[in-house]
């Protein structure tokens, strides 16, 4: 069986230098305009924790900070369990790349909380918005030339698609869409992490205008365990995202991700830099 | 002039050991049931960055992870600028306390993004909910005995106050309230950080039942600059918080904080552990 492109992008080698030190390589399959797709980078950061020999439990919270541009090529990851409690564990992760002088430079930082979940009273107060089934929603055309990562996903926008005319007439920042891997792959925490960052910059939709924009920091909360993700399998995920405010160079994006059956799998927030 | 209790809680000494190393002490004035109020801890983490000699710009994003209980007494902070760009800067912060053996143990981790803001197109898409002016909303009684921090704030709940009867009849998780320091103090980033964490656990409201609960990780995005906070002065802030989902031991709290004039100053999300 051929390895899925996403698993190739996630592939890390655990080095012998020290516990929690991994090496990997950026994926041309998930390239964005001037660097790797941020969702893949976030997934790789999480992956170093999931592959760490000391891991306790499953991911609850992930914050990834995009500190600098990532060059095509090799990178190093250091995942460190800074605190292990009875049922929760706290992690820091750093991605570095060698600079022109060969010295490591930090490109990305992350913190991760993992935990052993227990059955408790549960309640979803954020029902999935009503929508036609995926088969009845048109699939988005492949993205702009050179943006490889978009082609790795099947996206079926229900509301708030990428504007077809950039005429400055935008009135809202809400997108809802069905999405899944273009080549089927069972949902897991890494995939859900990447999908949390699949929404194009809200400022483009709100203004129907393209301006330079890039995520600075993203935080994702996982509300599901591995069994619940397993139940989704290769099925669709509904994603919803909108901004609360745009102000002097930065805006936020709040997102929710549901299974097709309506389970709220993850909620995510990011702060995005924009120009003009 | 006597120092404000919040400024006493924030007081840090920059050590000579290394750049970005600070020492401080937990504040009995902001004590919670079994440790410091998490909002004060978050503010202290941010403060180490704000007092760092290499600081560039103002806070944009702050994530604080509560890794372990903090004991009453001294703590150490290490704030490190892991990457400085032209207009943004990325920080990691760790709080440690000496364990029984004297060795430092991590109690709290944080990442901070600071940036120089530029004037751009701006738009608030999250208007402040309508409410009677603060003077017409009754002030909350002082909190339970021993919870000192509650007494440091003036809270005027508009909707979703702490239940007066714990009879399991809860139907929603939304609180809206006017708040400010009980002893007047001009709003700044540290105060806004603490206020982001002022909402009691949503699970108590949703179920009208008290269960053990504690914040695991909080992320706050600052949408205002120092001048905008300065304009608020000692005025009221309206806070709103609600949960999106409760599931197997964890729930989220999404919050917004507006000035009395309706400016959205900050948005915040946290993931909270709960039992039963």
């Amino acid at each position: 069986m051929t390895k899925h492109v996403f698993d190739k992008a996630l592939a890390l080698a655990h080095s012998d230098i020290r516990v929690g030190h991994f090496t990997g390589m950026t994926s041309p399959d998930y390239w964005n305009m001037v660097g790797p797709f941020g969702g893949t980078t976030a997934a790789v950061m999480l992956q170093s924790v999931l592959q760490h020999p000391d891991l306790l439990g499953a991911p609850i919270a992930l914050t990834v900070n995009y500190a600098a541009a990532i060059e095509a090529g090799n990178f190093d990851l250091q995942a460190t369990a800074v605190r292990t409690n009875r049922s929760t564990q706290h992690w820091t992760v750093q991605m570095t790349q060698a600079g022109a002088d060969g010295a490591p430079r930090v490109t990305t930082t992350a913190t991760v909380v993992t935990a052993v979940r227990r059955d408790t009273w549960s309640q979803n107060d954020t029902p999935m918005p009503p929508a036609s089934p995926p088969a009845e929603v048109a699939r988005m055309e492949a993205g702009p030339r050179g943006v490889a990562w978009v082609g790795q996903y099947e996206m079926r926008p229900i509301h708030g698609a990428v504007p077809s005319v950039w005429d400055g007439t935008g009135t809202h920042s809400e997108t809802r869409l069905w999405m899944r891997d273009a080549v089927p792959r069972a949902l897991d925490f890494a995939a859900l992490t990447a999908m949390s960052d699949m929404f194009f910059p809200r400022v483009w939709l709100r203004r129907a205008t393209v301006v330079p924009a890039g995520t600075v920091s993203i935080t994702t909360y996982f509300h599901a365990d591995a069994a619940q993700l397993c139940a989704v399998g290769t099925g669709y995920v509904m994603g919803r995202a909108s901004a609360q405010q745009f102000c002097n160079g930065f805006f936020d994006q709040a997102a929710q991700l549901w299974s097709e059956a309506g389970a709220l799998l993850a909620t995510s927030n990011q702060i995005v830099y924009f120009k003009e």
Side-chain angles (χ1 to χ4, degrees), chain A residues 52-209:
Chain A
H52 196 289
D54 299 338
L55 173 66
L56 175 74
I60 301 294
L62 166 70
T63 293
V64 177
N65 303 288
Y66 302 93
I70 298 172
E71 308 285 336
N74 300 314
F75 56 76
D76 289 71
L77 288 173
Q78 178 63 47
T80 308
V82 294
R83 186 88 188 204
T84 300
N85 300 310
R86 205 174 40 179
S87 65
T88 62
Q89 197 171 38
H90 285 259
W91 297 86
T92 60
V93 185
Q94 288 204 344
M95 180 184 283
T96 53
Q97 285 191 310
D101 58 358
R105 303 183 71 194
V106 174
T107 63
T108 323
T109 67
T111 58
V112 183
V113 182
T114 60
V116 178
R117 283 184 181 271
R118 294 192 169 82
D119 282 351
T120 64
W121 175 85
S122 295
Q123 172 71 36
N124 176 7
D125 278 342
T126 312
M128 183 168 73
S132 302
E136 294 173 21
V137 179
R139 183 170 174 177
M140 199 180 94
E141 300 286 320
R145 206 184 294 231
V147 181
W149 77 268
V150 175
Q152 305 302 348
Y153 291 100
E154 181 187 327
M155 304 189 201
R156 297 176 181 268
I158 298 156
H159 174 74
V162 180
S164 50
V165 184
W166 300 101
D167 59 0
T169 60
T171 55
H172 70 89
S173 70
E174 186 187 4
T175 292
R176 298 192 301 271
L177 82 166
W178 292 115
M179 55 190 179
R180 62 175 180 179
D181 288 291
V183 175
R185 182 180 179 281
L187 192 67
D188 58 12
F189 289 109
L192 198 55
T193 297
M195 286 179 185
S196 299
D197 192 34
M198 270 186 50
F199 307 91
F200 65 94
R202 301 295 88 196
V203 69
W204 296 1
L205 182 60
R206 184 64 180 83
R207 299 175 67 185
T209 303

